[in-house]
Amino acid sequence: MKLTFPPIGARIIKSSVAVGLCIAVYFIRALLPVSSGIPFYGVLAALWCMQPYSDTTKNNAFQRSAGTLIGAVYGLIFLLMFRRLGLVIPELVYISANIFIIPVIYTTVVMNKRTASFFSCVVFLSIALTHSFDENPYIFVLNRVVDTFIGIIIGVAVNDLRLPVKRNDNTLYVSGIDDVLISPTSNYSKVELNRLIRSGVKFTISTTRTPAELMSIMKGTELQLPAIVMDGAAMYDIKEKQYLEMTYLLPNASAEAERIISECGLNCFINTMLDTTLLIYYGKLNNSAEKELFESHKHSPYRNYISSEYRRKNINERVLYITVIAEKIDIFLLERKLRQQLGVSARISISDSEYEGFMYLKIFSPCASKENMLLKLKEYAGAERVVTFGSIRGKYDIYIDDGGGNATVKKLKKVCRFHGNF
Protein backbone atom coordinates (compact mmCIF):
# COMPACT_ATOMS: atom_id res chain seq x y z
CA MET A 1 0.00 0.00 0.00
CA LYS A 2 1.31 3.40 -1.01
CA LEU A 3 1.17 5.85 1.85
CA THR A 4 0.19 9.46 1.25
CA PHE A 5 1.12 12.37 3.47
CA PRO A 6 -1.39 15.19 3.00
CA PRO A 7 -0.69 18.53 4.67
CA ILE A 8 -1.87 19.08 8.24
CA GLY A 9 -5.27 20.72 7.95
CA ALA A 10 -7.07 23.34 10.00
CA ARG A 11 -9.24 20.74 11.74
CA ILE A 12 -6.18 18.96 13.13
CA ILE A 13 -4.70 22.24 14.37
CA LYS A 14 -7.99 23.30 15.92
CA SER A 15 -8.35 19.92 17.66
CA SER A 16 -4.93 20.36 19.24
CA VAL A 17 -5.76 23.91 20.31
CA ALA A 18 -9.07 22.81 21.85
CA VAL A 19 -7.35 20.02 23.81
CA GLY A 20 -4.73 22.46 25.05
CA LEU A 21 -7.38 24.93 26.22
CA CYS A 22 -9.28 22.19 28.06
CA ILE A 23 -6.09 21.22 29.89
CA ALA A 24 -5.35 24.89 30.66
CA VAL A 25 -8.82 25.28 32.17
CA TYR A 26 -8.18 22.17 34.27
CA PHE A 27 -4.98 23.71 35.68
CA ILE A 28 -6.84 26.90 36.49
CA ARG A 29 -9.64 24.98 38.20
CA ALA A 30 -7.05 23.06 40.22
CA LEU A 31 -6.00 26.35 41.82
CA LEU A 32 -9.54 27.02 43.03
CA PRO A 33 -10.76 25.87 46.48
CA VAL A 34 -13.21 23.43 44.88
CA SER A 35 -12.80 20.10 43.16
CA SER A 36 -11.07 20.48 39.81
CA GLY A 37 -12.64 17.61 37.88
CA ILE A 38 -10.92 15.46 35.25
CA PRO A 39 -9.70 17.02 31.96
CA PHE A 40 -10.27 13.75 30.07
CA TYR A 41 -14.03 14.28 29.82
CA GLY A 42 -13.72 17.88 28.69
CA VAL A 43 -11.19 16.90 26.03
CA LEU A 44 -13.49 14.19 24.66
CA ALA A 45 -16.37 16.66 24.41
CA ALA A 46 -14.20 19.25 22.67
CA LEU A 47 -12.92 16.73 20.12
CA TRP A 48 -16.47 15.56 19.44
CA CYS A 49 -17.35 19.14 18.47
CA MET A 50 -14.53 19.39 15.91
CA GLN A 51 -16.51 19.09 12.67
CA PRO A 52 -16.09 20.45 9.12
CA TYR A 53 -19.19 22.63 9.27
CA SER A 54 -20.60 24.97 11.89
CA ASP A 55 -24.09 23.47 11.88
CA THR A 56 -22.66 19.97 12.37
CA THR A 57 -20.59 21.27 15.29
CA LYS A 58 -23.62 22.78 16.98
CA ASN A 59 -25.66 19.63 16.40
CA ASN A 60 -22.93 17.48 17.95
CA ALA A 61 -22.64 19.89 20.87
CA PHE A 62 -26.38 19.65 21.45
CA GLN A 63 -26.24 15.83 21.31
CA ARG A 64 -23.40 15.73 23.79
CA SER A 65 -25.13 18.19 26.14
CA ALA A 66 -28.45 16.33 26.10
CA GLY A 67 -26.74 12.96 26.52
CA THR A 68 -24.62 14.21 29.42
CA LEU A 69 -27.58 15.65 31.30
CA ILE A 70 -29.76 12.57 30.86
CA GLY A 71 -26.94 10.21 31.84
CA ALA A 72 -25.96 12.37 34.84
CA VAL A 73 -29.54 12.51 36.14
CA TYR A 74 -29.91 8.74 35.97
CA GLY A 75 -26.45 8.31 37.47
CA LEU A 76 -27.46 10.50 40.40
CA ILE A 77 -30.73 8.57 40.86
CA PHE A 78 -28.77 5.32 40.77
CA LEU A 79 -26.34 6.54 43.46
CA LEU A 80 -29.10 7.86 45.72
CA MET A 81 -31.06 4.63 45.44
CA PHE A 82 -28.14 2.39 46.40
CA ARG A 83 -27.00 4.68 49.19
CA ARG A 84 -30.52 4.70 50.62
CA LEU A 85 -30.73 0.88 50.43
CA GLY A 86 -27.23 0.52 51.86
CA LEU A 87 -26.16 -1.97 49.19
CA VAL A 88 -22.39 -2.37 48.81
CA ILE A 89 -22.15 -5.66 46.90
CA PRO A 90 -20.33 -4.90 43.60
CA GLU A 91 -22.01 -7.72 41.66
CA LEU A 92 -25.47 -6.44 42.55
CA VAL A 93 -24.53 -2.87 41.64
CA TYR A 94 -23.19 -3.91 38.24
CA ILE A 95 -26.24 -6.06 37.41
CA SER A 96 -28.53 -3.21 38.41
CA ALA A 97 -26.60 -0.80 36.20
CA ASN A 98 -27.20 -3.18 33.31
CA ILE A 99 -30.96 -3.01 33.95
CA PHE A 100 -30.84 0.77 34.40
CA ILE A 101 -29.62 1.14 30.81
CA ILE A 102 -33.18 0.42 29.66
CA PRO A 103 -34.79 3.56 31.19
CA VAL A 104 -31.75 5.64 30.18
CA ILE A 105 -32.16 4.79 26.49
CA TYR A 106 -35.95 4.87 26.68
CA THR A 107 -35.84 8.41 28.05
CA THR A 108 -33.84 9.59 25.03
CA VAL A 109 -36.46 7.99 22.79
CA VAL A 110 -39.39 9.61 24.63
CA MET A 111 -37.64 13.01 24.56
CA ASN A 112 -36.88 12.53 20.84
CA LYS A 113 -33.15 12.67 21.54
CA ARG A 114 -32.24 9.31 20.02
CA THR A 115 -28.88 10.58 18.76
CA ALA A 116 -27.93 11.31 22.38
CA SER A 117 -28.51 7.71 23.55
CA PHE A 118 -24.87 6.71 23.30
CA PHE A 119 -23.65 9.66 25.35
CA SER A 120 -26.36 9.13 27.96
CA CYS A 121 -25.23 5.55 28.41
CA VAL A 122 -21.55 6.52 28.57
CA VAL A 123 -22.15 9.13 31.26
CA PHE A 124 -24.46 6.91 33.27
CA LEU A 125 -22.10 3.92 33.17
CA SER A 126 -19.06 6.06 34.01
CA ILE A 127 -20.90 7.06 37.20
CA ALA A 128 -22.55 3.74 38.06
CA LEU A 129 -19.66 1.36 37.32
CA THR A 130 -16.66 3.38 38.42
CA HIS A 131 -17.81 5.70 41.20
CA SER A 132 -20.65 3.98 43.04
CA PHE A 133 -18.32 3.13 45.94
CA ASP A 134 -16.56 6.48 46.16
CA GLU A 135 -16.77 8.29 49.47
CA ASN A 136 -18.46 11.26 47.83
CA PRO A 137 -19.62 10.24 44.32
CA TYR A 138 -21.93 13.27 43.99
CA ILE A 139 -18.94 15.53 43.45
CA PHE A 140 -17.93 13.35 40.53
CA VAL A 141 -21.41 13.67 39.00
CA LEU A 142 -21.19 17.47 39.24
CA ASN A 143 -17.67 17.59 37.85
CA ARG A 144 -18.59 15.17 35.09
CA VAL A 145 -21.26 17.59 33.88
CA VAL A 146 -19.03 20.66 34.33
CA ASP A 147 -16.10 18.99 32.52
CA THR A 148 -18.30 18.10 29.57
CA PHE A 149 -19.81 21.55 29.22
CA ILE A 150 -16.38 23.17 29.44
CA GLY A 151 -15.23 20.92 26.60
CA ILE A 152 -18.34 21.68 24.55
CA ILE A 153 -17.96 25.44 24.96
CA ILE A 154 -14.28 25.33 24.04
CA GLY A 155 -14.89 22.95 21.12
CA VAL A 156 -17.65 25.06 19.57
CA ALA A 157 -15.72 28.30 20.10
CA VAL A 158 -12.49 26.99 18.55
CA ASN A 159 -14.22 25.20 15.68
CA ASP A 160 -16.28 28.25 14.72
CA LEU A 161 -13.42 30.71 15.03
CA ARG A 162 -13.12 32.71 11.82
CA LEU A 163 -11.11 35.80 11.15
CA PRO A 164 -13.28 38.74 10.06
CA VAL A 165 -13.23 39.09 6.28
CA LYS A 166 -14.72 41.41 3.72
CA ARG A 167 -17.12 39.62 1.41
CA ASN A 168 -17.80 40.74 -2.15
CA ASP A 169 -20.90 39.23 -3.74
CA ASN A 170 -20.26 40.70 -7.19
CA THR A 171 -17.87 38.05 -8.55
CA LEU A 172 -18.98 34.72 -10.01
CA TYR A 173 -16.42 31.88 -9.93
CA VAL A 174 -16.94 29.14 -12.52
CA SER A 175 -14.84 25.97 -12.71
CA GLY A 176 -14.62 23.00 -15.00
CA ILE A 177 -14.57 19.44 -13.64
CA ASP A 178 -12.29 17.20 -15.69
CA ASP A 179 -8.61 17.93 -14.96
CA VAL A 180 -9.77 20.79 -12.74
CA LEU A 181 -11.81 19.55 -9.77
CA ILE A 182 -11.81 15.76 -10.07
CA SER A 183 -9.21 14.37 -7.67
CA PRO A 184 -8.54 11.08 -5.82
CA THR A 185 -8.59 13.12 -2.60
CA SER A 186 -11.89 14.93 -2.94
CA ASN A 187 -12.99 15.21 0.70
CA TYR A 188 -10.86 18.30 1.28
CA SER A 189 -12.18 19.86 -1.93
CA LYS A 190 -15.81 19.27 -0.99
CA VAL A 191 -15.44 20.56 2.56
CA GLU A 192 -13.56 23.69 1.51
CA LEU A 193 -15.91 24.36 -1.40
CA ASN A 194 -18.90 24.08 0.92
CA ARG A 195 -17.27 26.49 3.36
CA LEU A 196 -16.65 28.99 0.57
CA ILE A 197 -20.22 28.66 -0.70
CA ARG A 198 -21.66 28.99 2.81
CA SER A 199 -19.59 32.12 3.34
CA GLY A 200 -21.30 33.74 0.35
CA VAL A 201 -18.88 32.99 -2.50
CA LYS A 202 -20.73 32.59 -5.80
CA PHE A 203 -19.30 29.37 -7.20
CA THR A 204 -20.58 26.92 -9.78
CA ILE A 205 -19.58 24.45 -12.50
CA SER A 206 -19.31 24.54 -16.28
CA THR A 207 -18.94 21.13 -17.92
CA THR A 208 -19.50 19.04 -21.02
CA ARG A 209 -21.15 16.42 -18.83
CA THR A 210 -24.86 15.86 -18.27
CA PRO A 211 -26.62 16.91 -15.04
CA ALA A 212 -26.70 13.25 -13.96
CA GLU A 213 -22.91 12.92 -14.26
CA LEU A 214 -22.39 16.30 -12.60
CA MET A 215 -24.51 15.40 -9.57
CA SER A 216 -22.73 12.06 -9.22
CA ILE A 217 -19.25 13.62 -9.34
CA MET A 218 -20.12 16.60 -7.13
CA LYS A 219 -22.18 14.62 -4.61
CA GLY A 220 -21.72 16.18 -1.19
CA THR A 221 -20.95 19.64 -2.61
CA GLU A 222 -23.62 22.21 -1.76
CA LEU A 223 -23.83 24.07 -5.06
CA GLN A 224 -26.33 26.91 -4.70
CA LEU A 225 -26.15 28.35 -8.21
CA PRO A 226 -27.18 26.66 -11.47
CA ALA A 227 -24.48 24.89 -13.47
CA ILE A 228 -23.67 25.05 -17.17
CA VAL A 229 -24.01 21.51 -18.54
CA MET A 230 -23.87 19.63 -21.84
CA ASP A 231 -21.07 21.85 -23.17
CA GLY A 232 -23.21 24.97 -22.95
CA ALA A 233 -26.45 23.53 -24.36
CA ALA A 234 -28.25 23.97 -21.02
CA MET A 235 -28.18 25.60 -17.61
CA TYR A 236 -29.34 23.30 -14.83
CA ASP A 237 -30.52 24.11 -11.30
CA ILE A 238 -29.17 21.29 -9.13
CA LYS A 239 -31.16 22.32 -6.04
CA GLU A 240 -34.51 22.40 -7.84
CA LYS A 241 -33.54 19.67 -10.33
CA GLN A 242 -34.77 21.57 -13.35
CA TYR A 243 -33.45 23.11 -16.56
CA LEU A 244 -33.47 26.91 -16.57
CA GLU A 245 -32.04 27.62 -20.02
CA MET A 246 -31.70 25.45 -23.13
CA THR A 247 -30.37 26.01 -26.64
CA TYR A 248 -31.82 23.67 -29.26
CA LEU A 249 -30.73 22.47 -32.66
CA LEU A 250 -32.83 23.78 -35.53
CA PRO A 251 -35.22 21.01 -36.71
CA ASN A 252 -33.77 20.96 -40.24
CA ALA A 253 -30.20 20.70 -38.92
CA SER A 254 -31.18 17.92 -36.53
CA ALA A 255 -32.98 15.93 -39.23
CA GLU A 256 -30.08 16.35 -41.68
CA ALA A 257 -27.54 15.26 -39.04
CA GLU A 258 -29.56 12.13 -38.28
CA ARG A 259 -29.75 11.31 -41.99
CA ILE A 260 -25.98 11.62 -42.45
CA ILE A 261 -25.28 9.50 -39.37
CA SER A 262 -27.62 6.79 -40.67
CA GLU A 263 -25.99 6.86 -44.13
CA CYS A 264 -22.62 6.22 -42.43
CA GLY A 265 -24.09 3.11 -40.79
CA LEU A 266 -23.83 4.55 -37.30
CA ASN A 267 -26.23 4.86 -34.38
CA CYS A 268 -26.83 8.01 -32.33
CA PHE A 269 -28.38 9.09 -29.04
CA ILE A 270 -30.81 11.97 -29.55
CA ASN A 271 -31.22 14.14 -26.45
CA THR A 272 -34.58 15.88 -26.54
CA MET A 273 -36.68 17.87 -24.08
CA LEU A 274 -40.32 17.07 -23.38
CA ASP A 275 -41.58 19.89 -21.19
CA THR A 276 -38.88 19.80 -18.46
CA THR A 277 -37.89 16.14 -18.91
CA LEU A 278 -34.83 14.96 -20.80
CA LEU A 279 -35.58 12.05 -23.14
CA ILE A 280 -32.80 10.14 -24.90
CA TYR A 281 -33.86 8.23 -28.02
CA TYR A 282 -31.61 5.45 -29.29
CA GLY A 283 -31.60 3.02 -32.18
CA LYS A 284 -29.96 -0.35 -32.62
CA LEU A 285 -26.80 -0.50 -30.52
CA ASN A 286 -24.04 -1.57 -32.90
CA ASN A 287 -20.80 -1.53 -30.92
CA SER A 288 -19.56 -2.53 -27.46
CA ALA A 289 -19.08 1.08 -26.33
CA GLU A 290 -22.70 1.98 -27.11
CA LYS A 291 -23.96 -1.10 -25.29
CA GLU A 292 -21.78 -0.47 -22.23
CA LEU A 293 -22.79 3.20 -22.14
CA PHE A 294 -26.46 2.28 -22.34
CA GLU A 295 -26.25 -0.46 -19.69
CA SER A 296 -24.35 1.76 -17.23
CA HIS A 297 -26.66 4.76 -17.62
CA LYS A 298 -30.14 3.39 -18.28
CA HIS A 299 -31.02 3.03 -14.58
CA SER A 300 -30.15 6.62 -13.71
CA PRO A 301 -33.17 8.57 -12.38
CA TYR A 302 -31.96 11.59 -14.36
CA ARG A 303 -31.81 9.83 -17.74
CA ASN A 304 -34.81 8.54 -19.65
CA TYR A 305 -33.80 6.21 -22.49
CA ILE A 306 -36.49 5.40 -25.05
CA SER A 307 -36.19 3.20 -28.13
CA SER A 308 -36.44 5.20 -31.38
CA GLU A 309 -39.38 3.07 -32.49
CA TYR A 310 -41.50 4.94 -29.94
CA ARG A 311 -40.33 8.36 -31.07
CA ARG A 312 -42.99 10.69 -32.45
CA LYS A 313 -41.33 13.32 -34.56
CA ASN A 314 -43.32 16.54 -34.71
CA ILE A 315 -42.80 20.27 -34.82
CA ASN A 316 -42.86 20.45 -31.02
CA GLU A 317 -39.86 18.15 -30.57
CA ARG A 318 -36.81 20.02 -29.26
CA VAL A 319 -33.39 18.44 -29.76
CA LEU A 320 -30.68 19.64 -27.38
CA TYR A 321 -27.85 17.68 -28.96
CA ILE A 322 -26.98 14.42 -30.69
CA THR A 323 -24.29 12.02 -29.48
CA VAL A 324 -22.42 9.39 -31.51
CA ILE A 325 -19.89 6.99 -29.99
CA ALA A 326 -17.87 4.97 -32.50
CA GLU A 327 -14.37 3.92 -33.45
CA LYS A 328 -11.96 6.76 -34.15
CA ILE A 329 -11.79 6.31 -37.92
CA ASP A 330 -15.59 6.36 -38.19
CA ILE A 331 -15.81 9.44 -36.00
CA PHE A 332 -13.32 11.39 -38.14
CA LEU A 333 -15.09 10.41 -41.38
CA LEU A 334 -18.46 11.35 -39.90
CA GLU A 335 -17.12 14.68 -38.65
CA ARG A 336 -15.88 15.61 -42.14
CA LYS A 337 -19.24 14.80 -43.77
CA LEU A 338 -21.19 16.67 -41.12
CA ARG A 339 -19.05 19.78 -41.46
CA GLN A 340 -19.34 19.70 -45.24
CA GLN A 341 -23.12 19.33 -45.31
CA LEU A 342 -24.27 21.13 -42.16
CA GLY A 343 -21.92 24.08 -42.40
CA VAL A 344 -22.67 26.76 -39.83
CA SER A 345 -26.08 25.33 -38.90
CA ALA A 346 -24.49 23.14 -36.21
CA ARG A 347 -21.53 23.04 -33.86
CA ILE A 348 -19.64 19.74 -33.87
CA SER A 349 -17.25 18.58 -31.17
CA ILE A 350 -15.26 15.37 -30.82
CA SER A 351 -13.54 14.04 -27.71
CA ASP A 352 -11.99 10.91 -26.30
CA SER A 353 -14.27 8.48 -24.50
CA GLU A 354 -13.79 6.26 -21.48
CA TYR A 355 -13.95 3.25 -23.83
CA GLU A 356 -10.66 2.25 -25.41
CA GLY A 357 -10.55 2.78 -29.17
CA PHE A 358 -13.79 4.81 -29.24
CA MET A 359 -14.52 8.54 -29.41
CA TYR A 360 -17.51 10.79 -28.87
CA LEU A 361 -18.95 13.09 -31.50
CA LYS A 362 -21.61 15.58 -30.40
CA ILE A 363 -23.75 17.91 -32.49
CA PHE A 364 -25.08 21.14 -30.94
CA SER A 365 -26.76 24.31 -32.05
CA PRO A 366 -24.12 26.85 -33.16
CA CYS A 367 -25.51 29.13 -30.43
CA ALA A 368 -24.95 26.47 -27.74
CA SER A 369 -21.66 27.36 -26.10
CA LYS A 370 -20.29 27.72 -22.60
CA GLU A 371 -19.47 31.34 -23.33
CA ASN A 372 -23.04 32.23 -24.31
CA MET A 373 -24.54 30.34 -21.39
CA LEU A 374 -22.03 31.95 -19.03
CA LEU A 375 -23.46 35.37 -19.91
CA LYS A 376 -26.94 34.15 -18.94
CA LEU A 377 -25.59 32.60 -15.74
CA LYS A 378 -23.80 35.84 -14.85
CA GLU A 379 -27.08 37.74 -15.19
CA TYR A 380 -28.97 35.07 -13.23
CA ALA A 381 -26.43 35.24 -10.37
CA GLY A 382 -26.45 39.04 -10.30
CA ALA A 383 -22.66 39.17 -10.70
CA GLU A 384 -20.65 42.04 -12.15
CA ARG A 385 -17.63 39.99 -13.15
CA VAL A 386 -16.71 36.34 -13.78
CA VAL A 387 -13.53 34.42 -12.95
CA THR A 388 -13.16 31.06 -14.72
CA PHE A 389 -10.96 28.06 -13.89
CA GLY A 390 -9.92 25.55 -16.55
CA SER A 391 -7.19 23.31 -17.90
CA ILE A 392 -6.81 24.89 -21.37
CA ARG A 393 -4.12 27.55 -21.44
CA GLY A 394 -5.32 30.95 -22.62
CA LYS A 395 -9.04 30.07 -22.50
CA TYR A 396 -9.66 30.61 -18.79
CA ASP A 397 -8.81 33.32 -16.29
CA ILE A 398 -7.09 30.83 -13.95
CA TYR A 399 -5.10 28.12 -15.71
CA ILE A 400 -5.01 24.75 -13.90
CA ASP A 401 -1.92 22.78 -14.88
CA ASP A 402 -1.36 20.51 -11.87
CA GLY A 403 -4.18 17.99 -12.16
CA GLY A 404 -6.69 20.06 -10.22
CA GLY A 405 -8.58 18.75 -7.24
CA ASN A 406 -7.35 20.09 -3.92
CA ALA A 407 -4.88 22.42 -5.66
CA THR A 408 -7.74 24.08 -7.57
CA VAL A 409 -9.71 24.73 -4.40
CA LYS A 410 -6.64 26.29 -2.79
CA LYS A 411 -6.22 28.58 -5.79
CA LEU A 412 -9.91 29.47 -5.57
CA LYS A 413 -9.50 30.42 -1.90
CA LYS A 414 -6.53 32.65 -2.73
CA VAL A 415 -8.39 34.36 -5.56
CA CYS A 416 -11.41 34.90 -3.32
CA ARG A 417 -9.22 36.46 -0.64
CA PHE A 418 -7.58 38.68 -3.24
CA HIS A 419 -10.98 39.92 -4.37
CA GLY A 420 -12.22 40.28 -0.81
CA ASN A 421 -14.59 37.31 -0.85
CA PHE A 422 -13.11 35.04 1.77
Side-chain angles (χ1 to χ4, degrees):
M1 181 186 295
K2 184 179 179 180
L3 296 177
T4 58
F5 298 92
I8 296 176
R11 185 178 175 185
I12 297 175
I13 300 298
K14 287 184 176 182
S15 296
S16 178
V17 170
V19 169
L21 289 174
C22 287
I23 294 173
V25 170
Y26 164 73
F27 286 132
I28 294 173
R29 290 179 66 198
L31 301 176
L32 302 176
V34 293
S35 182
S36 59
I38 303 174
F40 174 74
Y41 298 107
V43 166
L44 286 183
L47 291 175
W48 178 252
C49 293
M50 290 295 113
Q51 299 295 324
Y53 309 119
S54 178
D55 56 347
T56 309
T57 296
K58 291 179 174 62
N59 181 59
N60 282 11
F62 181 75
Q63 289 180 32
R64 188 80 190 200
S65 300
T68 297
L69 290 174
I70 293 171
V73 168
Y74 272 99
L76 184 59
I77 294 172
F78 186 85
L79 293 178
L80 291 173
M81 183 181 72
F82 273 85
R83 291 300 172 98
R84 176 61 65 90
L85 296 175
L87 297 176
V88 293
I89 303 172
E91 290 79 7
L92 184 58
V93 172
Y94 297 153
I95 292 173
S96 299
N98 176 56
I99 299 173
F100 243 75
I101 283 294
I102 296 174
V104 171
I105 298 176
Y106 186 70
T107 299
T108 64
V109 174
V110 170
M111 296 178 65
N112 198 26
K113 298 290 187 291
R114 290 175 174 84
T115 53
S117 296
F118 172 76
F119 304 112
S120 298
C121 293
V122 168
V123 173
F124 167 73
L125 292 174
S126 69
I127 295 170
L129 298 184
T130 61
H131 294 277
S132 291
F133 303 104
D134 289 359
E135 182 177 345
N136 192 355
Y138 311 113
I139 295 297
F140 172 77
V141 175
L142 176 62
N143 282 326
R144 180 72 171 84
V145 174
V146 172
D147 290 338
T148 299
F149 277 95
I150 288 174
I152 289 172
I153 293 170
I154 290 175
V156 172
V158 172
N159 196 71
D160 286 354
L161 180 64
R162 297 286 188 277
L163 295 176
V165 294
K166 179 182 178 182
R167 190 167 65 207
N168 179 2
D169 297 329
N170 296 324
T171 302
L172 173 64
Y173 300 93
V174 182
S175 172
I177 294 182
D178 299 276
D179 300 322
V180 182
L181 276 182
I182 293 179
S183 170
T185 55
S186 59
N187 286 337
Y188 170 86
S189 299
K190 289 178 180 179
V191 169
E192 292 302 317
L193 276 177
N194 288 341
R195 285 177 174 169
L196 286 169
I197 293 169
R198 290 185 181 193
S199 73
V201 172
K202 292 180 176 179
F203 174 84
T204 192
I205 300 296
S206 177
T207 178
T208 60
R209 296 177 180 267
T210 63
E213 292 173 307
L214 171 63
M215 286 186 286
S216 175
I217 293 170
M218 300 300 291
K219 184 178 180 180
T221 305
E222 302 168 355
L223 293 176
Q224 301 295 316
L225 292 173
I228 297 172
V229 296
M230 303 174 182
D231 204 17
M235 183 164 68
Y236 187 77
D237 189 330
I238 295 177
K239 290 179 63 180
E240 300 298 329
K241 295 182 174 55
Q242 65 179 5
Y243 291 90
L244 301 179
E245 294 282 349
M246 290 155 286
T247 305
Y248 302 105
L249 270 164
L250 291 174
N252 292 340
S254 174
E256 181 67 6
E258 291 180 53
R259 184 189 66 79
I260 297 170
I261 293 169
S262 179
E263 284 184 354
C264 292
L266 299 174
N267 175 49
C268 63
F269 296 91
I270 304 162
N271 296 263
T272 68
M273 292 298 299
L274 178 61
D275 193 12
T276 58
T277 303
L278 178 67
L279 304 179
I280 306 173
Y281 292 102
Y282 66 96
K284 183 179 179 181
L285 304 177
N286 298 319
N287 60 56
S288 59
E290 290 176 334
K291 294 175 182 177
E292 191 172 342
L293 175 70
F294 175 74
E295 289 298 325
S296 62
H297 290 169
K298 67 179 182 180
H299 297 298
S300 169
Y302 304 105
R303 296 181 177 92
N304 303 282
Y305 284 92
I306 303 174
S307 174
S308 293
E309 61 182 292
Y310 299 107
R311 183 183 178 192
R312 297 180 180 179
K313 293 185 179 180
N314 56 57
I315 59 174
N316 296 319
E317 183 179 77
R318 301 172 297 173
V319 177
L320 268 174
Y321 67 100
I322 299 172
T323 301
V324 178
I325 181 169
E327 294 182 358
K328 293 182 178 181
I329 186 171
D330 293 327
I331 288 293
F332 289 130
L333 290 173
L334 176 61
E335 179 194 20
R336 185 168 61 185
K337 288 186 178 181
L338 288 170
R339 293 191 186 280
Q340 288 173 348
Q341 299 188 43
L342 294 181
V344 296
S345 63
R347 177 172 69 86
I348 301 166
S349 71
I350 60 173
S351 59
D352 293 329
S353 77
E354 59 270 42
Y355 309 103
E356 187 176 356
F358 292 87
M359 296 186 72
Y360 284 116
L361 181 145
K362 295 182 180 181
I363 306 168
F364 300 91
S365 163
C367 298
S369 69
K370 292 181 180 179
E371 291 76 17
N372 289 341
M373 197 61 73
L374 185 58
L375 294 175
K376 296 180 180 180
L377 178 59
K378 178 184 175 183
E379 181 180 357
Y380 180 92
E384 295 180 358
R385 64 191 301 271
V386 177
V387 176
T388 57
F389 295 75
S391 57
I392 301 176
R393 188 182 294 276
K395 187 176 180 180
Y396 300 95
D397 299 313
I398 307 296
Y399 172 56
I400 305 299
D401 61 348
D402 49 11
N406 295 345
T408 299
V409 177
K410 291 177 180 178
K411 289 179 181 179
L412 173 62
K413 292 176 69 175
K414 290 180 179 178
V415 173
C416 288
R417 290 194 188 101
F418 178 76
H419 291 108
N421 285 80
F422 185 76

